[in-house]
């Protein structure tokens, strides 16, 4: 049985994925070969590692879609060792090669989504039984979070309001049962509320969708967030 965990207008969501990808490519085109191998904001990962992972994620999601369309179920990453090797391989690539990989893998994912006729087909994703309709949201979260990790001038202030809200909703759903999160009640200025975490006494934390999402994901400082004093969620994958 599948879990219907997230809903959004599919075509609009796919457009947001395309826009986020183009924004990413626009920012990374100016990164030099030397700067690609500088540290990203992900501990132990270079920018090249992040780019290689993003490319591999698009390829893996495309494969997931292709198999689901044929009525088959596959793991997103069938071999964790090969996945790690692929990420490390990014360190040996030039900036141009990384840019090409980011672009071509995103194109492959778009073509795979174009071929879907039944978005209710089941897939195994994020440790759950979801449907193909959840894949674009999973990709949007991946692109935006790792764009921040690349530390190339992007920040949550560049998110449009609908993307920010969907990202926060997706994070809330994904980490609702995460016992390592501080016990918080999120209250967004958009009206969205949720209770997450189990560590410590529950506190109310409020701010915009974008600010709360960045803070919850461990990507941004608690600027513009009320009630977060002393609370710092760990970096979330």
């Amino acid at each position: 049985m599948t879990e219907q965990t997230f809903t959004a207008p599919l075509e609009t969501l796919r457009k947001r994925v395309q826009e986020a990808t183009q924004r990413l490519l626009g920012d990374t085109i100016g990164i030099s070969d030397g700067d690609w191998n500088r540290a990203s904001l992900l501990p132990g990962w270079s920018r090249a590692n992040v780019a290689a992972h993003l490319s591999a994620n698009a390829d893996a999601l495309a494969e997931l879609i292709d198999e689901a369309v044929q009525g088959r179920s596959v793991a997103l990453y069938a071999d964790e060792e090969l996945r790690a090797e692929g990420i490390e391989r990014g360190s040996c690539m030039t900036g141009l090669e990384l840019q090409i990989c980011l672009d071509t893998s995103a194109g492959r994912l778009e073509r795979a989504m174009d071929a879907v006729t039944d978005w209710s087909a089941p897939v195994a994703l994020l440790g759950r039984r979801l449907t193909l309709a959840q894949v674009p949201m999973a990709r949007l979260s991946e692109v935006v979070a790792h764009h921040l990790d690349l530390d190339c001038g992007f920040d949550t202030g560049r998110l449009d309001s609908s993307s920010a809200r969907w990202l926060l909703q997706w994070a809330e759903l994904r980490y609702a049962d995460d016992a390592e999160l501080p016990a918080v009640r999120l209250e967004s200025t958009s009206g969205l509320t949720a209770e997450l975490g189990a560590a410590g006494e529950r506190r109310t934390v409020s701010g915009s969708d974008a600010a709360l999402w960045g803070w919850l994901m461990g990507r941004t400082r608690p600027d513009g967030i009320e009630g977060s004093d002393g609370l710092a969620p760990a970096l979330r994958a």
Side-chain angles (χ1 to χ4, degrees):
M1 183 174 180
T2 58
E3 297 181 53
Q4 296 298 328
T5 61
F6 179 85
T7 58
L10 188 58
E11 289 307 312
T12 303
L13 183 53
R14 287 191 59 187
K15 183 178 180 181
R16 294 293 180 265
V17 173
Q18 294 166 357
E19 292 169 348
T21 301
Q22 291 307 308
R23 186 165 55 227
L24 171 79
L25 291 170
D27 284 349
T28 56
I29 193 67
I31 300 177
S32 67
D33 287 352
D35 284 342
W36 269 114
N37 287 307
R38 293 184 183 276
S40 74
L41 297 183
L42 271 178
W45 288 43
S46 69
R47 284 169 165 167
N49 293 148
V50 173
H53 168 68
L54 263 178
S55 296
N57 174 260
D59 285 334
L61 287 172
E63 180 69 17
L64 191 78
I65 292 171
D66 290 343
E67 293 296 317
V69 167
Q70 298 300 319
R72 297 186 292 266
S73 178
V74 297
L76 183 60
Y77 299 111
D79 189 317
E80 286 296 323
E81 185 174 338
L82 287 176
R83 176 180 179 239
E85 290 176 0
I87 292 169
E88 186 56 37
R89 195 177 301 125
S91 300
C92 303
M93 301 172 72
T94 67
L96 178 59
E97 289 170 335
L98 288 166
Q99 194 79 1
I100 290 172
C101 282
L102 285 168
D103 193 14
T104 56
S105 61
R108 181 192 174 196
L109 178 55
E110 278 299 310
R111 291 190 297 275
M113 287 193 283
D114 285 341
V116 175
T117 57
D118 179 11
W119 287 93
S120 67
V123 293
L125 189 63
L126 307 179
R128 301 182 181 185
R129 292 289 293 176
L130 303 179
T131 68
L132 281 177
Q134 316 297 317
V135 172
M137 189 62 235
R139 179 59 179 175
L140 180 63
S141 179
E142 195 82 1
V143 172
V144 177
H146 289 313
H147 196 167
L148 290 170
D149 293 333
L150 286 169
D151 193 22
C152 58
F154 176 72
D155 60 51
T156 57
R158 291 171 65 185
L159 290 171
D160 63 274
S161 59
S162 59
S163 292
R165 184 176 180 83
W166 293 337
L167 286 165
L168 182 58
Q169 289 176 311
W170 183 251
E172 289 173 352
L173 290 165
R174 183 173 180 184
Y175 301 112
D177 301 323
D178 190 336
E180 295 182 2
L181 270 175
V184 295
R185 173 181 169 82
L186 299 182
E187 294 186 351
S188 172
T189 53
S190 71
L192 190 65
T193 62
E195 290 191 355
L196 302 174
E201 183 178 352
R202 191 166 304 281
R203 290 163 52 178
T204 297
V205 178
S206 59
S208 69
D209 290 336
L212 287 172
W213 174 78
W215 174 79
L216 181 63
M217 296 292 287
R219 256 68 182 193
T220 59
R221 296 173 60 83
D223 299 334
I225 297 178
E226 296 183 6
S228 63
D229 295 348
L231 294 179
L235 191 74
R236 319 217 73 75

